[in-house]
Amino acid sequence: MNDLTNYWKIAPLMQPGDVIAFGGVAVISHLIDVFSGSTISHIAMVQQPRGAVKLIVPSIIPSDVVITESTIEEGVSGPQSRPLGQTLADYGDGARAWWLPLATAVRNAVDWPKFYAYIAQSEAGQIQYDTPGLFGFLGRNIPVIGSYICQSESAKRLFCSGDFIALFEAAGVLRGINWSKTTPQDVVEMKLYQPYIQLIGTPAAIARFNTI
């Protein structure tokens, strides 16, 4: 179980739309690292801040932050709401995670009714985690062979970073981005954030953060 001391200090500052970047230690996380040239293997987004979740997600303790993420967890595939504290604690010994707060100008551009409408629609069970798309993304990074693996968008299957793009497109912040081509590293490189703070794991910098 990971140490959450720093997380509980930072949690009261988190706001909807903030991004949580993960550097996992599972085999699939290492594959993403190798093929993308990055230590960022997963992306989630803050849906509700601390103290605002009791009536929204009754199973989550009110003192925790709620994230929305596209993943496979406890038999559920696709976008889903999860407690950030529990997610961080159980992410794997040695994992890392960072809080990427939205820049003020970006936050002011978010259409919040559309933001929450998209989350409700995406978490209704009609969208699954894009496992085939994940392996397609990995395969496209193989020299020579990768150029023959097609890229496509699908609103019915979304990898974690694809879910982020679709959500921010629905909320009016981004437009015209290929969901299937966007990696977790691409998300942290987008110039959308204030300086990040690491939540768990040994200290490490995020490469090319906030540069595009």
Side-chain angles (χ1 to χ4, degrees):
M1 179 174 290
N2 293 304
D3 181 5
L4 300 186
T5 302
N6 202 39
Y7 165 66
W8 289 119
K9 292 178 182 177
I10 300 302
L13 304 178
M14 295 182 181
Q15 300 181 63
D18 292 345
V19 169
I20 308 298
F22 295 85
V25 293
V27 172
I28 190 63
S29 296
H30 286 303
L31 286 174
I32 295 171
D33 294 348
V34 169
F35 283 97
S36 68
S38 167
T39 57
I40 306 300
S41 55
H42 184 64
I43 290 292
M45 188 177 291
V46 175
Q47 177 193 153
Q48 297 291 341
R50 271 187 83 181
V53 305
K54 189 171 184 180
L55 299 178
I56 300 168
V57 188
S59 62
I60 298 176
I61 59 174
S63 60
D64 207 350
V65 171
V66 177
I67 55 173
T68 181
E69 59 176 343
S70 186
T71 187
I72 300 175
E73 189 69 32
E74 297 181 356
V76 178
S77 174
Q80 52 194 280
S81 295
R82 291 176 39 75
L84 178 54
Q86 178 184 326
T87 301
L88 292 171
D90 298 339
Y91 208 70
D93 292 340
R96 296 186 177 101
W98 300 260
W99 168 48
L100 283 55
L102 284 186
T104 301
V106 176
R107 185 174 302 283
N108 291 340
V110 175
D111 186 321
W112 293 106
K114 290 182 178 179
F115 176 90
Y116 284 108
Y118 175 87
I119 292 175
Q121 182 178 19
S122 70
E123 294 188 356
Q126 301 302 309
I127 301 175
Q128 292 187 321
Y129 181 79
D130 191 8
T131 303
L134 169 59
F135 284 97
F137 149 70
L138 295 176
R140 287 193 294 273
N141 286 275
I142 300 174
V144 182
I145 297 174
S147 62
Y148 293 95
I149 300 176
C150 67
Q151 298 170 351
S152 62
E153 291 183 336
S154 171
K156 296 297 183 182
R157 303 186 71 90
L158 291 173
F159 181 48
C160 64
S161 44
D163 185 46
F164 166 87
I165 297 299
L167 174 51
F168 258 24
E169 283 190 345
V173 177
L174 300 174
R175 66 179 62 183
I177 299 176
N178 186 328
W179 304 334
S180 66
K181 191 178 180 181
T182 304
T183 69
Q185 177 62 33
D186 292 332
V187 171
V188 302
E189 291 180 14
M190 293 178 180
K191 194 168 286 187
L192 301 171
Y193 317 103
Q194 301 177 54
Y196 62 82
I197 295 177
Q198 190 163 346
L199 301 173
I200 61 169
T202 55
I206 298 178
R208 303 181 297 282
F209 169 74
N210 220 25
T211 54
I212 297 178

